[in-house]
Amino acid sequence: MSSTDLLAPGAVIGILGGGQLGRMTALAAAAMGYRCHIFCPDADAPASQVTDRTTLADYGDRDALDAFARAVDVVTYEFENIPCDTVAHLAGQVPVHPGPGALAVCQDRLAEKVFVNCLGIGTADFRVVPDPSVLPALVEQLEGPCVLKANTMGYDGKGQALIRHPHEADDAWLAVGARLCVLEKFVAFECEVSVIAARDRTGRVVCYPAVENRHENHILKHTLAPAPDFEDRQEAAQAIAVRLIEGLDMVGVLAVEMFATTDGRLLVNELAPRPHNSGHWTIEGCRVSQFTNLVRALVGLPVADPGVRGRAEMVNLLGAEADEWAALAADPGASVHLYGKAAARPGRKMGHVTRLLT
Ligand code: AMP
């Protein structure tokens, strides 16, 4: 297909990754008459359970990727740790959105921060840490507590260590896995917010309102939509997301996590070129969810105004909390989503509950 063709219902969207984000994307696609084909290395993945096509293979399996490319009309991915080589290989055969360039920036913390700063948008002060010998001096330079983060493959606080004093440097280096790192100054934030933007092939961008995210043990627990007491900074936060999705020249959905600092600044912490946990509330809270807008962008439809229905709250069900599904479902005001995961390991995202507040 040419990259300008509008895909008609019945077309097949290939999704790399089989988690809950792929599952909810596939459900949105099905509602619009599209099929999804999941490519992932795990059997019975949450996304595979709601689609009739899965390629069970490693992301490096070129034969499986080639057959997948022939079987789909467009490709996306539902988590950003898919190897860039895999995405670039597919992009030579079938349209892939977001493209490999945007993915390369978003899966590398240094590239991401440099990109964000180049657009004149703030991040926490940071230093590159190629080697542990320089770490104590860099901690001194940043003057105060710091967070050491592995440059790649981090999520939900994994691959991170807090450093309060330079003498903690060696332990922190080992804790994050002794590899190329970014050292960030610890940000005194008032709250953490995120904005999700969606962009279509014509370059039109729509934005969901900034929401507040509250974490427990580095894992998202609560999202409040829109972010409370944030009216005066909504426009600025959304403008940042628009500049970033345009700067990445992305077709698809971009989530921008930010710190709202106690001195009134918005600093970008992380970018995710895919639907985001902090946007799950949009399924019930908006006329057009983040997943529907991703599908619209992928098939060549214009992205649609979100149509926010009112205030909403989303709570993640982590580990054994999902065992309470029957009690939760007894509340007609609670929309309970479960992801079909068998093993409820502590902290694992098993589902979520959204409540509309107005
Ligand atoms: P990340 O994996 O970068 O999203 O970090 C996970 C969580 O750790 C964030 O949502 C924050 O709660 C916290 N965190 C990360 N970096 C910093 C920082 N530089 N200053 C303060 N808190 C941070």
Side-chain angles (χ1 to χ4, degrees), residues 1-355:
M1 110 177 179
S2 120
S3 60
T4 53
D5 286 344
L6 174 63
L7 293 176
V12 184
I13 299 170
I15 302 178
L16 298 166
Q20 62 268 19
L21 299 171
R23 179 180 176 105
M24 288 182 270
T25 302
L27 292 171
M32 295 166 66
Y34 295 95
R35 292 172 175 273
C36 286
H37 183 143
I38 309 302
F39 188 111
C40 76
D42 310 305
D44 196 34
S48 297
Q49 294 172 14
V50 302
T51 55
D52 66 348
R53 296 162 197 204
T54 292
T55 297
L56 203 59
D58 288 330
Y59 295 119
D61 182 337
R62 293 290 165 104
D63 291 339
L65 288 170
D66 292 345
F68 176 69
R70 288 191 294 274
V72 301
D73 297 293
V74 64
V75 171
T76 192
Y77 39 87
E78 59 104 50
F79 83 127
E80 65 271 25
N81 289 331
I82 303 276
C84 258
D85 280 359
T86 299
V87 171
H89 181 76
L90 287 169
Q93 305 176 53
V94 61
V96 180
H97 298 299
L103 177 64
V105 170
C106 297
Q107 64 181 210
D108 180 305
R109 287 190 190 272
L110 281 170
E112 191 174 89
K113 286 183 197 304
V114 170
F115 170 74
V116 171
N117 288 166
C118 282
L119 291 182
I121 299 167
T123 57
D125 286 344
F126 68 94
R127 298 286 185 276
V128 184
V129 189
D131 177 292
S133 64
V134 295
L135 188 50
L138 296 177
V139 174
E140 299 257 15
Q141 270 181 27
L142 288 177
E143 296 179 338
C146 298
V147 187
L148 185 69
K149 300 182 179 181
N151 190 43
T152 55
M153 302 296 278
Y155 67 97
D156 287 347
K158 293 191 172 57
Q160 294 191 18
L162 183 67
I163 304 181
R164 293 183 185 279
H165 302 286
H167 65 77
E168 293 170 348
D170 284 347
D171 286 347
W173 176 261
L174 293 176
V176 303
R179 54 205 170 109
L180 180 69
C181 281
V182 184
L183 181 72
E184 280 179 29
K185 192 171 169 67
F186 191 85
V187 176
F189 56 78
E190 182 187 314
C191 63
E192 292 186 72
V193 299
S194 57
V195 174
I196 292 171
R199 184 167 180 265
D200 63 28
R201 291 192 206 152
T202 69
R204 174 177 147 81
V205 179
V206 296
C207 249
Y208 292 85
V211 298
E212 180 177 339
N213 298 316
R214 298 185 183 164
H215 296 80
E216 282 175 14
N217 303 320
H218 294 283
I219 300 171
L220 181 65
K221 182 63 191 163
H222 275 103
T223 293
L224 301 170
D229 304 320
F230 200 71
E231 295 77 9
D232 53 338
R233 284 167 286 179
Q234 268 294 346
E235 212 177 292
Q238 291 182 37
I240 287 173
V242 172
R243 273 157 66 203
L244 289 169
I245 200 169
E246 288 177 347
L248 289 167
D249 195 18
M250 262 184 60
V251 171
V253 166
L254 179 72
V256 183
E257 294 181 31
M258 298 175 231
F259 299 124
T261 66
T262 44
D263 59 2
R265 291 172 301 150
L266 291 170
L267 302 178
V268 170
N269 177 37
E270 229 176 21
L271 306 180
R274 51 158 174 84
H276 194 258
N277 195 168
S278 68
H280 291 359
W281 69 278
T282 63
I283 295 175
E284 290 84 14
C286 295
R287 279 197 301 277
V288 182
S289 74
Q290 61 167 350
F291 301 103
T292 298
N293 259 331
L294 172 59
V295 173
R296 293 176 68 94
L298 291 173
V299 302
L301 285 167
V303 289
D305 287 329
V308 178
R309 295 187 201 277
R311 290 188 306 127
E313 176 191 47
M314 190 279 317
V315 182
N316 269 341
L317 300 176
L318 303 175
E321 289 167 359
D323 295 347
E324 301 305 315
W325 59 271
L328 290 163
D331 172 2
S335 298
V336 181
H337 297 250
L338 295 167
Y339 306 147
K341 296 180 185 177
R345 290 191 298 275
R348 192 174 191 207
K349 292 174 180 170
M350 303 297 290
H352 71 268
V353 180
T354 299
R355 290 184 177 84

